[in-house]
């Protein structure tokens, strides 16, 4: 691959960037919230839009049904005269998180715009601007530039974009399994992760797993008046808060028996390396108004954030939550509870331990019911994987700073599924930043992340073509 | 007061009962939910409707503005040739509780109807059927019968019906204080309590107080992604559940320091009397699907229900509570927490103790804010009050069973306010039953409670006229 050719591609990317942005905006305007059944039509519309956009590269692309929101599948062959070029799957998702609380958004979440960040950075603001529409489009636009400039892609690519990542990929994974012969490839490229900091590119080589449970505790068969029944009838909020309030000890360790079984300490040499990093409460927590790391005492904050397991109640509700007051003892109370898991923890074992823990604390005349949203193990990738070195070099060239190999606290369960179902490793490259507000109001993606993200992928595609 | 005259009044009540029911239904159709500002117009409509209804008795009645929902004031003089008849205030409220969860209602809450209870009783089903529209109308209809049959009321009556009882009477109490010269009387009649059981009338002579607080805990300045911040950022639901989950010890005693200071044990002779009552988990808790009294260990259930203080979380919310899952660490979490207070507990002292308890448990980088909905002390009435004996005898004659004098676990804060602001004792007579589902879906009032309630008040009015 001639350097001159790559340079032409990069130049084209910069020249065509306004159009790239407009194509991203078209996708961002579609309200593809996968969690809420009311938006099923929008999810379908987003799949169709994206399929059309990928097809416009000259790639045979289809919207493929699943038992849930559809997937987008596109297949492109490189013009590979010499032979031996790799075949990769590119994975991303077009679905987005819900937007509530809507009143905290500074502008409507599905009306994307370029805005000025407080510190002068230009940012793209919209739900999905980063996660994952903006990231997906960095790759699509890099491919578009290659096709435009050279008439071909540097490697064989199967585009595989799903619509249920934010709700646990429940129907996408069976779809992949059912079509595994179709998805033979050398490895997977995933664009759903972040940079180390705004100047430093990163490849993510470890991911935490995710166990996500729902708990509903029922006491009386109907709501009761607290004047009549207060003092004699068990309140399910009392049961629920007592259980959830006991999940941590005074050292911030999770109290579920067996929770830490199999979890390994971070190797001393890695710890030494991490101690030199500028990952501090000042740099990481202060921007969101906090100052005290909430994880296990005696652990580095970087461990708390990436290599230690966690527990969070992501939602809780029960009784009267409207304006004013109501003297009610509710019939039931619920919570959504999730755990970020690390190497050595089996999601099913932790699920059983959690459910046993809760069940043991339910009074004799109350009931508990569980629901499950996700159960994905942690993933550690092979740091010696050849394409990784090539991609790392390409990223370093684009950003002018050494690419960091990092562990991520987040979970991308599909990475474990690709390994299990297709036998494929994943290379995780992304351009998100810690302040992107993903899953929150005012989600954004730096304009620079988008533009240099496209350029980064253009370089990575060239580099991967050289890895036999 | 001739017995023959009373008998004519009672006969008229039975003859006119279908019309009484239709007048109650007209009031029940008005959605006077005081807690929700969206229903302010309905509250005004209910006040106007009721004022017109009372005026139709020939009583000078006005809708009177307050800083909140209006009050209804009507003044009627007895045709008192002999002199010395008492002047009473009749108190009730036209506002009702919210109706959520609406999906649990078997019919629309503001479309009243007579239905068949499972055990064959005829019941009036609607929000407010008992609390307090049905109860108010027992008194209004008794007065109507007296006027119709004799042309006069047996005693002087000031009707004083408020529209904010369900939200703590915040604007009604200042209204009463500001007009206290207008509300001079001998004592107050209140119809907002219950029977001992469906066969046994009761007069309530003690009421628990109510302290109702709102707590909001804020951690980060925005919602966070649990993949990025899980393990390092404090979750406000964790803080809230830990605090609320610690409010009870293993003996079901409330752990707030000083909470029980000043609370007296029930006298042994009362305890002995209560041990003979058939107030058991089987009779009281089983109908609502429970079996284990949730109050302090070592106390009779009747004590737990009436003479011991309680704590209930009436509502809790935070994070994502919609369909599916969202991996969010919310910025804040809230709860509504109320306490039923007994003699010896000062609401302001308990409020301070609760707030101190919560504040001491807030991590250094989190914040807490409190809101207050109600702070009313417990009330014990004078059992030797003369009208009480007269009313008790009248009730016993109507129901054919000895009237029980009882303590109630519920709170009617206005009773303490009447004592403080007007210097008046209250006589609490009502016809509610434990299974009336007040504050819950499918609120009902037994048709028999309504009819015999009207007859009871007709008798009580006659009896009170004889108490000089």
């Amino acid at each position: 691959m001639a350097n001159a050719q790559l340079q032409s591609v990069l130049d084209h990317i910069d020249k065509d960037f306004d159009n790239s942005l407009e194509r991203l905006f078209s996708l961002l305007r579609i309200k593809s919230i996968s969690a809420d059944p009311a938006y099923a039509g929008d999810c379908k519309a987003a799949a169709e839009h994206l399929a059309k956009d990928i097809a416009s590269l000259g790639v045979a692309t289809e919207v493929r049904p699943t038992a849930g929101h559809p997937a987008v599948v596109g297949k492109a062959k490189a013009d590979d005269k010499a032979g031996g070029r790799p075949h990769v799957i590119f994975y991303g998702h077009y679905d987005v998180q819900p937007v509530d609380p809507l009143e905290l958004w500074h502008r409507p979440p599905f009306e994307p715009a370029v805005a000025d960040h407080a510190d002068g950075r230009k940012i793209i603001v919209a739900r999905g601007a980063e996660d994952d529409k903006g990231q997906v489009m960095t790759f699509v636009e890099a491919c578009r530039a290659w096709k435009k400039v050279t008439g071909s892609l540097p490697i064989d690519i199967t585009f595989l974009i799903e619509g249920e990542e934010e709700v646990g990929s429940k129907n996408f994974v069976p779809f992949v399994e059912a079509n595994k012969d179709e998805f033979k490839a050398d490895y997977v490229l995933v664009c759903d992760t972040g940079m180390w900091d705004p100047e430093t590119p990163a490849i993510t080589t470890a991911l935490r797993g995710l166990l996500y449970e729902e708990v509903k505790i029922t006491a009386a068969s109907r709501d009761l008046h607290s004047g009549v029944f207060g003092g004699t009838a068990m309140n399910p909020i009392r049961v629920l808060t007592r259980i959830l309030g006991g999940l941590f000890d005074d050292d911030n360790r999770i109290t579920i028996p067996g929770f830490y079984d199999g979890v390994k300490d971070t190797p001393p040499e890695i710890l030494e390396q991490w101690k030199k990093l500028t990952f501090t409460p000042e740099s990481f927590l202060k921007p969101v108004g906090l100052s005290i790391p909430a994880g296990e005492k005696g652990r580095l904050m970087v461990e708390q954030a990436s290599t230690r397991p966690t527990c969070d109640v992501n939602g809780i509700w029960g009784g009267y939550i409207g304006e004013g007051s109501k003297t009610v003892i509710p019939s039931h109370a619920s919570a959504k509870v999730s755990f970020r898991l690390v190497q050595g923890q089996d999601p099913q074992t932790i699920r059983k331990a959690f459910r046993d823990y809760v069940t043991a604390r339910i009074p004799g005349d109350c009931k508990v019911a569980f629901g499950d949203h996700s159960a994905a193990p942690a993933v550690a990738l092979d740091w010696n994987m050849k394409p990784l070195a090539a991609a790392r070099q390409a990223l370093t060239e684009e950003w002018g700073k050494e690419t960091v190999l990092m562990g991520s606290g987040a979970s991308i369960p599909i990475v474990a599924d690709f390994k299990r179902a297709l036998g494929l490793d994943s290379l995780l490259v992304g351009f998100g930043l810690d302040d992107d507000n993903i899953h929150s109001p005012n989600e954004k993606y730096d304009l620079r992340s988008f533009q240099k993200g496209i350029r980064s992928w253009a370089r990575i595609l060239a580099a991967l073509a050289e890895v036999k």
Side-chain angles (χ1 to χ4, degrees), chain A residues 226-247:
Chain A
S226 77
V228 179
F229 286 93
T232 62
M234 182 49 77
N235 185 327
I237 303 178
R238 175 171 151 195
V239 178
L240 184 63
T241 56
R242 191 174 172 96
I243 290 171
L244 299 180
L247 281 171

Side-chain angles (χ1 to χ4, degrees), chain A residues 91-339:
Chain A
Y91 167 85
H93 61 94
Y94 66 76
D95 65 316
V96 298
Q97 284 275 322
V99 295
D100 59 283
L102 192 57
E103 66 275 15
L104 296 186
W105 286 79
H106 301 141
R107 48 176 298 117
F110 295 104
E111 296 179 16
V114 172
D116 291 303
H117 192 271
D119 66 6
R121 280 181 283 162
K122 291 280 179 193
I123 56 177
I124 303 162
V125 184
R127 170 57 86 227
E130 195 243 76
D131 183 17
D132 188 41
K133 289 172 175 174
Q135 304 248 53
V136 164
M137 290 303 287
T138 59
F139 187 84
V140 172
E141 291 299 306
C143 291
R144 191 186 308 276
W146 269 106
K147 283 286 277 193
K148 182 81 182 174
V149 172
T150 73
S152 173
L153 293 171
I155 58 177
D156 292 352
I157 300 170
T158 296
F159 294 83
L160 185 51
I161 318 289
E162 73 154 311
E164 297 196 320
E165 197 273 346
E166 301 294 4
V167 290
S169 305
K170 263 184 204 161
N171 301 299
F172 179 68
V173 174
F175 168 78
V176 171
E177 284 167 342
N179 297 282
K180 64 181 178 182
D181 290 342
E182 190 183 338
F183 298 125
K184 285 190 174 136
D186 295 308
Y187 49 89
V188 183
L189 302 178
V190 175
C191 191
D192 200 13
T193 51
M195 313 252 294
W196 174 257
D197 64 32
E199 303 303 325
T200 315
I203 297 176
T204 300
T205 55
L207 292 165
R208 289 195 285 200
L210 180 65
L211 173 68
Y212 200 124
E213 293 274 288
E214 190 153 329
V215 181
K216 179 180 180 178
I217 293 171
T218 303
S221 53
R222 62 170 174 88
D223 285 0
L224 304 173
H225 184 330
S226 77
V228 179
F229 286 93
T232 62
M234 182 49 77
N235 185 327
I237 303 178
R238 175 171 151 195
V239 178
L240 184 63
T241 56
R242 191 174 172 96
I243 290 171
L244 299 180
L247 281 171
F248 292 86
D249 69 15
D250 291 340
D251 292 327
N252 294 336
R253 279 174 64 89
I254 293 153
T255 55
I256 298 169
F259 185 77
Y260 292 98
D261 289 359
V263 176
K264 288 193 182 60
D265 278 343
T266 313
E269 64 274 19
I270 302 280
L271 276 182
E272 284 312 307
Q273 197 180 325
W274 281 350
K275 280 178 187 165
K276 293 173 196 144
L277 293 174
T278 55
F279 186 75
T280 63
E282 181 76 13
S283 70
F284 187 65
L285 294 178
K286 197 180 171 190
V288 298
L290 296 173
S291 60
I292 307 167
E296 293 164 84
K297 286 184 186 162
R299 300 277 177 189
L300 294 180
M301 198 172 71
V302 63
E303 290 184 273
Q304 296 177 0
S306 62
T307 59
R308 299 298 298 177
T310 71
C311 169
D312 268 297
V313 182
N314 305 106
I316 189 167
W317 67 102
Y320 182 67
I321 63 177
E323 287 268 327
S325 63
K326 183 175 174 180
T327 49
V328 64
I329 299 176
S331 168
H332 51 82
S334 296
K336 294 177 194 277
V337 185
S338 70
F339 301 87

